[in-house]
Amino acid sequence: MNTASPLPLPADRIPPGVADWRSADARRWLATVPGAWAHPLWAVLLLALTTVWMAVAFPEPVCTPAEPCGADWAGTGVLAALLLTLYWVVRQPRLALLGLAVVLLGHLEEGWSGSTLGEPWWLAFVGALAFTAAGLLHRLAVAARQRVLAAEAAGPAAHPVPPAALRFRRGRLSFVLAAPLLAVAVYGFWQAQQVADAHERRAAGLAPVSGRVTLSDEDELVIAVAVGDRVHRVDTYYPERYPVDSRAELLVDGDWARLAAEPYDVVGWELLVLAGLVGGLAFLANGVDGRTRSRQLHQGPLPVLRVLVREGHDDGRTWVYAADDPAAERPLLHFHSLHAFEEDEEDEEDDQRRGPRGGDGDGDGDDELAEGLRRVGAILKGEDPPPPVREAVLYGLPYTGTELAFVAPDGDDPGEVAVECSVTAVKPAVRGLFGGGLPGPAPDGRAGRPGGGQRRGRRPVDEVAATLEPSTAPRTWGANGVSRAVGGVLLLVQAGGVWALLEDDVSWLSVFPLIGLFFVVTSASTVLNWRITADRDGLWIAGPWRVRRVLWDDVEAVRHNRGGDLVIVRERDTEVTLSPVGWPWMERRLGREPYGPRAADEAHALLRRPELRPLEEAGPSQQGMPLGPLVAAVSALWGAAVLLLL
C-alpha cells in the first residue's frame, strides 16, 4: 500500500461546500457503463462488413448513350457520410445518429427498386444501421445516468471555474486543419465541373457514330473501335461490356474520341473531393464540438467535486481517483488535459525569467534548460520517477463524453497551483474488450503508472531474487507464443514485400527496398527464436545471425526498454541488443505478464546476486541457434519462386 500522502491543494483554492467524491459514490458511477454489446468496435465492424458486401453485390451502373455515366456527386456524398459516421460512432455518438440517418436516406434516394430493397445484403446493411443506432442510444442513456449520479455526489454546491479556465479556448487547431481540407474538396469539385463543362462544349453539335469493336483489353481498361477506315482507342471502366465484333457508339471530333456512354472521367477528382470532404468535416465537427463543450464550462457556476488526480506516466493522460483513495489503486475516469494560464500571470513570469532589459535572469534560463534536458533524457531511458498523486477540485459533472476543468498542485512545482482543462472527452476507467487499459498497483507497493496498463519500471532486485530458487542447470529465456506470432506477422509482411517488389519490372532501383527487407528478416529471426541462457560463467545470447558469449564480469546491466528491446549492457558502454523480443502491449491485453521484461528482471537479478547463478555450464543445445541464415535462405527461395510465377 502506498504510504505517501497526495500533494495537498491549498485551502484557499478549495471552494466552500465542495463535496468529496468518495469511493462508494464513485463505484456506483463507475458501474454505470455501456454494455459490451454497445462497444463501438462491433458497430464499426458490422457497418464496414455489410457495406463491403453491398458494394460487391450491388449491380454495377449501366451506362448508355441515352443515360451516360458522369460524375456521381450523390454517391460521393453518401460515401462521405458513411465514412464520417464510422468515425463518429467512436468519437461523437450524437453526430453518428445524424450520419446514420443521412446514409439511410441517401441510399433510398438513389432510386433503388423494391426488389433491390429485399436483397439479403440490403437487409443486412439496414440491420447493421439499426444495431449501431441502438448502441449509440444506449451509450447516450448511460452518459445521462452518469450525470445524475455525479450530481447526487456533488450536492448543491456550485462555483464558477477559475479565471484561467475562462480564457482557455478549444477547437482552434481543428478549425485550422479543416479549412485547407475543405478548400481541397471545393477545388476538386471545381476541377471536375471544368472537365464536364469542357466536354459539353466540345460535344455540342456532335452526333454519336457507331463502330465495330476490334480490341477489348480488360487489363489496360481500353477498347479499340473501328469507324470507317479509322480505329479509335478509347478508355472505359467496363471493357467486358464491349466484346470484340460488338458495336459501340462514339463521339468523334478529329483526333478526339470518347464513348457516348462514358463521355468523361472525373473519378480522380471525385476521390479528391471525398478525401477533402471527409477530413475537413471531421476536423470541423471536432472543432465545433470542442468549442461548444468548452463554452459549457464558462456558463455560470458549476457543480464541484473533490478528487485525486495523477498524470499518466507513459501517455500523459489525467487519471481521476476517489478522494478517499490516496494509494490511487482504482481509477475512475481519464482524459487528456492542458494547462490554462492567466495572461497577466504568464506575462509576469516571462518578465521574471528574462530579467531586467531582457537579460537571462541571472542564469535561471540556462538552469531551466539544463533541467528540462535532464528530464527528457530520464524519460527516454525510463528512469524518471512516477508522477505524484495530487489533490484536485473538478469543475463540472463528470460523465462519458463531457469535458472538465480542475485545479490541482503543479506537479513540477508543488508550491504552485495549476488550472487544467480537458482537451479530450471523459472516458470511464474500465477494462477494454481484451482485458487491458487500466493502471494497477506496482509490485513494490507504489501506485501503478496510469495510462499504461500494468506497465512499470524495473522491479527491485530483492523482489525478483525472492522468486528465484538456486539452480544447478542453466536458466534459459526465449521466444514464447506471442513472440512467435509477431514473427509470423513479420514474415508475412516480408513475403508480401518481396512479391510487390518483384511483380513489376526488376531494376537497380529494386535493390534499395530489398535492403530494407533485410532488416525485416533480422527482426523476424530475432522474435521467432531469440534466447538468453545463463550458466556458471555468464550469458549466452542467441540473436538473428550468431550466438554471443558475455561473461558475468563484463555485464553491467540487463534491461528491457520501452521499445520492446532486450539489452545486455557490457563494460565500455557497449551493448548487445535483441530486438524485438515480443509484444508487451498485446501480452498485457491478453492478461499475461510480458515475458521480455520478466526475462530482463530475472537475468539482472542473477547478475546482482551471484549466489543464485547456475552451477553448470550450458551445452550446445541450451545455447540457442541463430535463425537468420535459414530465414534468409527461405526468403531467397521465395523470391525465386515469385520470379518464376510472374
Side-chain angles (χ1 to χ4, degrees), residues 6-134:
L7 295 181
L9 184 65
D12 61 339
R13 300 306 297 265
I14 301 176
V18 60
D20 290 349
W21 199 11
R22 308 193 69 82
S23 295
D25 295 328
R27 280 194 294 268
R28 291 175 56 210
W29 183 93
L30 194 59
T32 309
V33 294
W37 67 271
H39 194 282
L41 174 63
W42 308 130
V44 170
L45 286 177
L46 274 178
L47 283 176
L49 292 175
T50 54
T51 298
V52 172
W53 185 11
M54 183 171 59
V56 172
F58 189 76
E60 293 182 349
V62 178
C63 305
T64 65
E67 296 184 2
C69 293
D72 183 15
W73 296 119
T76 301
V78 172
L79 181 56
L82 177 61
L83 295 176
L84 284 168
T85 300
L86 293 176
Y87 171 69
W88 287 337
V89 164
V90 180
R91 294 291 302 273
Q92 299 179 14
R94 287 184 174 82
L95 282 178
L97 287 172
L98 176 62
L100 291 176
V102 171
V103 170
L104 181 60
L105 292 176
H107 282 304
L108 293 175
E109 284 295 325
E110 286 191 351
W112 289 7
S113 63
S115 59
T116 300
L117 298 180
E119 293 290 340
W121 42 267
W122 167 252
L123 296 177
F125 181 70
V126 173
L129 293 177
F131 176 82
T132 303

Side-chain angles (χ1 to χ4, degrees), residues 80-230:
L82 177 61
L83 295 176
L84 284 168
T85 300
L86 293 176
Y87 171 69
W88 287 337
V89 164
V90 180
R91 294 291 302 273
Q92 299 179 14
R94 287 184 174 82
L95 282 178
L97 287 172
L98 176 62
L100 291 176
V102 171
V103 170
L104 181 60
L105 292 176
H107 282 304
L108 293 175
E109 284 295 325
E110 286 191 351
W112 289 7
S113 63
S115 59
T116 300
L117 298 180
E119 293 290 340
W121 42 267
W122 167 252
L123 296 177
F125 181 70
V126 173
L129 293 177
F131 176 82
T132 303
L136 293 170
L137 292 173
H138 174 66
R139 289 162 57 190
L140 291 173
V142 166
R145 176 59 179 163
Q146 288 177 336
R147 181 183 176 91
V148 171
L149 292 175
E152 293 176 356
H159 298 273
V161 295
L166 293 175
R167 294 186 174 90
F168 190 83
R169 294 292 182 266
R170 289 268 283 111
R172 293 176 181 174
L173 179 60
S174 293
F175 290 138
V176 170
L177 295 175
L181 289 171
L182 292 176
V184 167
V186 172
Y187 175 76
F189 178 79
W190 176 70
Q191 285 293 330
Q193 290 301 112
Q194 291 291 102
V195 172
D197 293 344
H199 166 78
E200 294 297 333
R201 289 193 298 269
R202 189 159 194 174
L206 295 178
V209 295
S210 180
R212 183 177 63 88
V213 177
T214 60
L215 172 68
S216 181
D217 192 336
E218 296 186 11
D219 294 329
E220 298 292 335
L221 298 180
V222 67
I223 63 174
V225 182
V227 179
D229 297 334
R230 191 165 185 178

Side-chain angles (χ1 to χ4, degrees), residues 402-426:
T402 190
E403 295 189 14
L404 303 168
F406 68 90
V407 178
D410 193 327
D412 296 329
D413 188 358
E416 298 293 332
V417 173
V419 178
E420 298 187 40
C421 296
S422 62
V423 293
T424 59
V426 167

Side-chain angles (χ1 to χ4, degrees), residues 132-388:
T132 303
L136 293 170
L137 292 173
H138 174 66
R139 289 162 57 190
L140 291 173
V142 166
R145 176 59 179 163
Q146 288 177 336
R147 181 183 176 91
V148 171
L149 292 175
E152 293 176 356
H159 298 273
V161 295
L166 293 175
R167 294 186 174 90
F168 190 83
R169 294 292 182 266
R170 289 268 283 111
R172 293 176 181 174
L173 179 60
S174 293
F175 290 138
V176 170
L177 295 175
L181 289 171
L182 292 176
V184 167
V186 172
Y187 175 76
F189 178 79
W190 176 70
Q191 285 293 330
Q193 290 301 112
Q194 291 291 102
V195 172
D197 293 344
H199 166 78
E200 294 297 333
R201 289 193 298 269
R202 189 159 194 174
L206 295 178
V209 295
S210 180
R212 183 177 63 88
V213 177
T214 60
L215 172 68
S216 181
D217 192 336
E218 296 186 11
D219 294 329
E220 298 292 335
L221 298 180
V222 67
I223 63 174
V225 182
V227 179
D229 297 334
R230 191 165 185 178
V231 177
H232 300 276
R233 290 175 62 89
V234 292
D235 297 327
T236 175
Y237 281 106
Y238 310 102
E240 66 277 3
R241 296 180 182 175
Y242 301 94
V244 175
D245 292 332
S246 64
R247 306 294 296 182
E249 292 191 7
L250 301 181
L251 295 173
V252 180
D253 183 15
D255 293 333
W256 182 87
R258 297 289 187 275
L259 280 170
E262 302 176 50
Y264 56 86
D265 178 16
V266 292
V267 172
W269 295 117
E270 287 179 308
L271 292 177
L272 183 65
V273 171
L274 177 66
L277 197 61
V278 171
L281 289 179
F283 280 117
L284 181 63
N286 286 346
V288 172
D289 181 71
R291 182 61 59 87
T292 301
R293 294 184 186 279
S294 178
R295 287 178 176 174
Q296 289 175 355
L297 294 176
H298 305 162
Q299 296 177 355
L302 297 176
V304 288
L305 282 167
R306 193 170 180 179
V307 295
L308 299 176
V309 298
R310 188 174 189 177
E311 183 181 353
H313 192 277
D314 298 317
D315 57 9
R317 281 185 289 184
T318 296
W319 293 78
V320 177
Y321 301 83
D324 56 353
D325 183 14
E329 293 180 334
R330 186 63 180 94
L332 305 176
L333 56 93
H334 60 87
F335 51 84
H336 285 90
S337 62
L338 290 177
H339 285 263
F341 299 99
E342 296 187 25
E343 293 178 355
D344 295 339
E345 293 181 0
E346 191 175 10
D347 293 341
E348 183 179 351
E349 290 176 0
D350 289 342
D351 292 340
Q352 291 177 354
R353 291 192 185 101
R354 285 193 296 266
R357 300 181 182 272
D360 295 333
D362 297 330
D364 289 344
D366 294 339
D367 293 341
E368 291 179 2
L369 177 60
E371 176 65 15
L373 294 176
R374 187 195 64 78
R375 291 183 180 179
V376 171
I379 292 173
L380 294 176
K381 295 178 181 178
E383 299 171 352
D384 55 318

